[in-house]
Amino acid sequence: MKIALPEWMERVKPPQYADDESAMRYVLALAERNIEEGTGGPFAAALVDENERVIASGVNLVTSLKCSILHAEIVTIMMASERLGTWALAERGRFTLVVTAEPCAMCLGAIPWAGIKRIVMSVRDEDIRAIGFDEGNKPSGWIEHYTSHGIDVTRDVMREEGIKVLGAYVASGAIIYNGD
């Protein structure tokens, strides 16, 4: 399946070097723009390589492309896989996935399958659930499970800013979609 990113994403340039905070600032800007443009939910992600370069980025496209699995993490993994020519991203290096929100149940499974070795998050599960999204049945020990499988987890990077993005989504009147 070929996924087309919104055309406005071409005008939002990633930082030249993306440490955790600058990468998070970038994905939060993508999430804000996704809300403003009405192209999806308040979520965005970027895959960053060992040299702190953004390899791929994506936004939530669930509502605009009418496909429930097009979460920002999934879209970003698809874009990175296409760009790097592999389903096993770990074959091409050690990558960090920077996300505006703690992954839902579906995305929790996709991240290790893609070979991603680090995840950096802004808002937590409880922040997302507080505005009405159902994140699915996530195991309580998922961080420990990731760590035991060599995936580093960093939480709360620019969390307050991320919570503001969630608030902007609610204020926009856009749909809180949960599949039911």
Side-chain angles (χ1 to χ4, degrees):
M1 173 182 228
K2 177 80 170 152
I3 301 298
L5 293 172
E7 64 88 27
W8 60 259
M9 282 190 67
E10 295 175 17
R11 295 187 301 275
V12 183
K13 298 298 180 197
Q16 186 172 3
Y17 294 101
D19 60 6
D20 289 354
E21 193 165 303
S22 65
M24 186 61 71
R25 199 171 301 109
Y26 168 65
V27 296
L28 287 169
L30 290 176
E32 288 174 327
R33 188 71 182 267
N34 207 35
I35 296 166
E36 292 165 7
E37 297 287 340
T39 45
F43 309 108
L47 193 73
V48 178
D49 71 9
E50 297 161 294
N51 297 313
E52 297 184 332
R53 292 177 305 192
V54 174
I55 298 302
S57 54
V59 293
N60 177 288
L61 299 172
V62 169
T63 57
S64 61
L65 295 185
K66 299 170 181 39
C67 182
S68 62
I69 65 169
L70 293 180
H71 292 198
E73 298 93 332
I74 303 298
V75 172
T76 301
I77 290 167
M78 291 173 73
M79 295 293 130
S81 294
E82 182 178 303
R83 180 171 182 195
L84 298 174
T86 183
W87 58 268
L89 299 176
E91 291 178 346
R92 301 288 195 265
R94 183 175 170 83
F95 296 100
T96 297
L97 185 66
V98 180
V99 295
T100 55
E102 189 173 300
C104 70
M106 174 182 68
C107 295
L108 278 178
I111 290 165
W113 278 59
I116 294 165
K117 295 300 180 189
R118 184 168 180 253
I119 182 167
V120 174
M121 304 169 291
S122 178
V123 301
R124 291 185 178 212
D125 181 85
E126 58 262 29
D127 303 323
I128 305 159
R129 290 181 193 270
I131 67 164
F133 281 101
D134 180 351
E135 295 298 282
N137 184 18
K138 295 167 52 172
S140 61
W142 73 267
I143 292 175
E144 293 80 11
H145 177 77
Y146 266 26
T147 302
S148 73
H149 285 83
I151 303 171
D152 298 322
V153 176
T154 302
R155 297 174 98 183
D156 302 333
V157 175
M158 301 180 70
R159 185 177 180 194
E160 289 305 314
E161 292 86 342
I163 290 170
K164 288 178 185 172
V165 171
L166 295 177
Y169 185 75
V170 171
S172 77
I175 186 170
I176 302 288
Y177 47 87
N178 288 312
D180 52 7

